[in-house]
Amino acid sequence: MDPAKLLDILGNENRRKIIQLLANRPCYVSEISGRLGVGPKAIISHLSLLEQAGLIECSVDEQRRKYFNIANNMRLEVSVSPYAYTMLFRTLVLTGRKKGKVLLPRRMNLLPEMNLPASS
């Protein structure tokens, strides 16, 4: 995922709220819609964009309801100073091993940093 594209996606307040909800537990569309006070059509649109970006994924339960959850642990770092602008995106790949109830990270994938030259 391009870090700039990720920032664009996360620039929407409703998408950030959806991610906050999903960080606690999987949810389905009408549940998200009710909690945020946003129409189901808009929620479906936001979920589709988040899913295409790889931020969330879905599964279907016995009643054929789609549940959405966070796809991966990730970290986006943005550094801004008078002389530099840097974005760094990292995804933690989790293994199936558990220590207590916490999944342990196996490795980190690192996208190249984006450095823009300072204007003079």
Side-chain angles (χ1 to χ4, degrees):
M1 160 83 18
D2 175 31
K5 179 71 174 162
L6 185 58
L7 281 176
D8 287 342
I9 291 168
L10 296 176
N12 181 282
E13 183 180 6
N14 285 326
R15 288 193 281 268
R16 290 191 309 270
K17 287 179 180 180
I18 290 169
I19 289 172
Q20 282 181 312
L21 282 175
L22 298 180
N24 294 316
R25 66 178 180 80
C27 299
Y28 51 95
V29 173
S30 60
E31 185 178 14
I32 296 168
S33 176
R35 296 276 308 268
L36 298 185
V38 176
K41 280 182 125 177
I43 295 298
I44 290 168
S45 176
H46 289 306
L47 290 169
S48 176
L49 187 59
L50 291 168
E51 192 172 17
Q52 288 171 10
L55 296 172
I56 65 171
E57 57 191 10
C58 72
S59 57
V60 179
D61 70 3
E62 312 83 46
Q63 298 169 336
R64 297 187 354 200
R65 285 189 295 200
K66 269 187 161 181
Y67 278 85
F68 292 86
N69 59 282
I70 302 294
N72 292 307
N73 288 340
M74 62 185 65
R75 182 176 184 159
L76 175 66
E77 297 176 22
V78 178
S79 175
V80 179
S81 75
Y83 306 105
Y85 171 68
T86 308
M87 286 192 288
L88 187 63
F89 177 68
R90 300 175 188 194
T91 302
L92 287 174
V93 178
L94 301 176
T95 66
R97 294 173 295 166
K98 292 183 181 182
K99 183 176 184 178
K101 295 194 183 226
V102 179
L103 290 172
L104 301 172
R106 184 176 47 169
R107 69 169 203 260
M108 294 183 82
N109 293 333
L110 197 59
L111 291 180
E113 290 188 27
M114 293 179 55
N115 290 310
L116 300 176
S119 58
S120 24

